[in-house]
């Protein structure tokens, strides 16, 4: 099952975009993610996959050729409190535009893989992404694997009098925080993956492209001491 309206997604693609329209361009991070997915079909076969910040939806569309179900989500103007509302839909047809049906919400619990390509370029947005990942993964009753692609965009700043990538530094900070988190529900393990997987798509595989994996594993339930059932 592929829950994507392909025609809507592709009519929006452009080759260059201002900041407010970044989702209308296919970014290198998406192509890099696609290469990773096509290089690891066994991992994705039969899986329920959720893509966050999908933009044109290209990664979801290609993932849907392998996975069982792909939920392709994107920010929408309907949700004005932007950062906390990562979960909106882009795949719906006109009748159910941007709304989740009860069945879809229930099925979301089957998500075993989350993908996010090039969505960590702004600190507030990165914070929103990590809050969303934390919330989702803490509620899944099973292990969930998250793949995040990021392009380290280096800039010269007067503040540092050097080239730096503050968005990347913030991303790494959030990854470390997630790994150190002890919320009693879930443990998070963070790994950077090697970038030498096969290339199926024509684009420049610059060395600044990185792929990160987060493994979220539910912790065994520990009843509270005051719980009479505990003893
Ligand atoms: C650089 S684009 C990447 C798009 C696509 N993943 C790709 O790599 O081609 C960042 C995406 O994040 C989306 N985005 C921005 N703020 C968001 C939010 N609060 N919730 C969900 N998505 C958001 C943008 O609309 C855009 O599609």
């Amino acid at each position: 099952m592929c829950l994507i309206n392909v025609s809507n997604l592709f009519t929006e693609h452009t080759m260059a975009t201002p900041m407010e329209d970044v989702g209308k361009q296919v970014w290198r991070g998406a192509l890099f993610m696609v290469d990773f997915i096509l290089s690891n079909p066994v991992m994705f076969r039969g899986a329920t996959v959720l893509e966050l910040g999908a933009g044109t939806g290209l990664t979801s569309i290609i993932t849907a050729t392998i996975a069982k179900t792909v939920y392709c989500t994107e920010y929408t103007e309907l949700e004005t409190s932007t950062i906390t509302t990562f979960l909106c839909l882009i795949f719906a047809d006109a009748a159910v535009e941007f709304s989740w049906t009860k069945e879809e919400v229930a099925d979301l619990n089957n998500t075993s893989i989350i993908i996010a390509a090039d969505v960590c370029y702004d600190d507030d947005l990165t914070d929103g992404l990590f809050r969303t990942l934390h919330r989702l993964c803490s509620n899944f009753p099973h292990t969930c694997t998250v793949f995040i692609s990021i392009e380290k965009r280096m800039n010269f700043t007067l503040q540092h009098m050097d080239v730096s990538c503050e968005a990347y530094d913030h991303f790494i900070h959030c990854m470390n925080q997630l790994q150190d988190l002890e919320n009693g529900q879930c443990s998070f393990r963070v790994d950077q993956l090697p970038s030498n997987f096969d290339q199926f798509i024509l684009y420049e595989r610059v060395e600044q492209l990185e792929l990160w994996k987060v493994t979220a594993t539910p912790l065994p339930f520990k009843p509270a001491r005051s719980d009479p059932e505990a003893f």
Side-chain angles (χ1 to χ4, degrees), residues 22-23 25-27 30 53-55 74-75 82 85-86 117-119 121 125:
V22 287
Q25 191 179 335
V26 177
W27 293 85
E74 170 58 33
Y75 163 74
T82 55
T85 55
F86 233 93
D118 203 346
V119 288
Y121 52 90
L125 183 55

Side-chain angles (χ1 to χ4, degrees), residues 37 44 49 51 58-68 70 115:
I37 292 163
F44 287 83
V49 180
E51 178 168 20
L58 177 73
T59 311
S60 280
I61 291 165
I62 295 187
T63 307
T65 64
I66 303 174
K68 176 167 161 264
V70 178
I115 53 176

Side-chain angles (χ1 to χ4, degrees), residues 13 17 19-33 51-59 73-76 79 81-88 90 115-122 124-125 128-129 132 149 153:
H13 173 71
T17 43
M19 192 64 161
E20 64 273 18
D21 283 336
V22 287
K24 294 182 181 174
Q25 191 179 335
V26 177
W27 293 85
R28 248 192 310 241
L31 303 175
F32 190 55
M33 182 72 83
E51 178 168 20
L52 300 174
T56 63
L58 177 73
T59 311
T73 74
E74 170 58 33
Y75 163 74
T76 102
E79 308 282 350
S81 55
T82 55
I83 297 309
T84 54
T85 55
F86 233 93
L87 280 177
C88 321
I90 197 170
I115 53 176
D118 203 346
V119 288
C120 296
Y121 52 90
D122 167 274
D124 288 342
L125 183 55
L129 171 72
T132 302
S149 69
R153 298 185 178 91

